[in-house]
Amino acid sequence: MGTDQLRNLIRDVPDFPKPGIMFKDITPLLRDPQGLDASVELLAEPFKNQDVTRVAGIESRGFIFGSCVARILGAGFVPIRKPGKLPWTKRSHEYELEYGRDKIEIHDDALSPDDRVLVIDDVLATGGTLAAAIALVREFDAQLVGAATVIELSFLDGRRKIEGVNFHAVVSY
């Protein structure tokens, strides 16, 4: 299955979560076995010979894709979560949103300087969340192999916040 077929499995939902936003809904892609398989294979493909040891997935849809990519790459999976969800000691990174600030967290023992890390999420929009996850990975002195998303909303220029990072998107709008 190619990117055109995957694009057909991504539903447009107008005015969600607020008027004027065209939301890209991946739930039809997730429920389609071939679509899910193709999307995670295409996410993993550029990183198959990069000796990735950990895949860090960003809550919550990044967990779905990230854990599948980790399995394909033979790597461990590390969750990056919203505040208050991780039970162990943790590190956090605060970042700007269009409408305020938010924070994400990772366990203190999630990564080491020996790790080669790929960061996965569902969408690159304005880039704040992905940039914050990358900053957390770099705090461990782990080697950032790259970042990948199923969807890139290129008109929002999120790549600007992750310049210099090896970035891959399966589908771009």
Side-chain angles (χ1 to χ4, degrees):
M1 181 176 286
T3 56
D4 287 339
Q5 290 97 341
L6 290 176
R7 189 182 303 273
N8 291 333
L9 292 171
I10 299 169
R11 172 174 43 208
D12 285 345
V13 180
D15 299 321
F16 183 82
K18 60 184 182 178
I21 302 291
M22 181 63 74
F23 186 79
K24 300 296 184 190
D25 180 13
I26 60 165
T27 56
L29 183 149
L30 292 172
R31 76 170 173 241
D32 183 278
Q34 291 82 20
L36 178 58
D37 184 59
S39 63
V40 295
E41 283 290 339
L42 290 168
L43 273 171
E45 185 60 36
F47 305 99
K48 282 187 174 174
N49 296 314
Q50 300 289 319
D51 298 322
V52 172
T53 61
R54 301 283 182 269
V55 173
I58 302 170
E59 186 169 348
S60 65
R61 292 173 299 270
F63 291 1
I64 298 165
F65 295 105
S67 60
C68 293
V69 168
R71 186 158 187 235
I72 290 168
L73 298 178
F77 178 77
V78 173
I80 296 178
R81 302 212 59 188
K82 295 173 183 169
K85 302 286 185 178
L86 292 172
W88 194 246
T89 57
K90 56 201 156 282
R91 300 173 190 206
S92 64
H93 189 86
E94 194 170 292
Y95 61 100
E96 300 266 341
L97 297 168
E98 307 84 72
Y99 49 84
R101 299 188 68 74
D102 207 347
K103 188 185 335 184
I104 55 175
E105 298 179 333
I106 190 171
H107 277 148
D108 276 332
D109 61 356
L111 302 170
S112 77
D114 295 329
D115 281 316
R116 294 178 51 79
V117 183
L118 172 62
V119 178
I120 298 284
D121 205 0
D122 63 330
V123 177
L124 174 64
T126 60
T129 307
L130 194 56
I134 288 166
L136 279 175
V137 167
R138 288 180 168 154
E139 282 185 27
F140 289 91
D141 293 325
Q143 184 173 352
L144 178 70
V145 174
T149 61
V150 177
I151 298 170
E152 177 185 14
L153 303 176
S154 60
F155 57 90
L156 293 176
D157 199 27
R159 284 191 192 220
R160 175 180 44 83
K161 289 189 180 164
I162 60 166
E163 281 185 40
V165 172
N166 178 16
F167 175 73
H168 169 65
V170 174
V171 177
S172 186
Y173 294 93

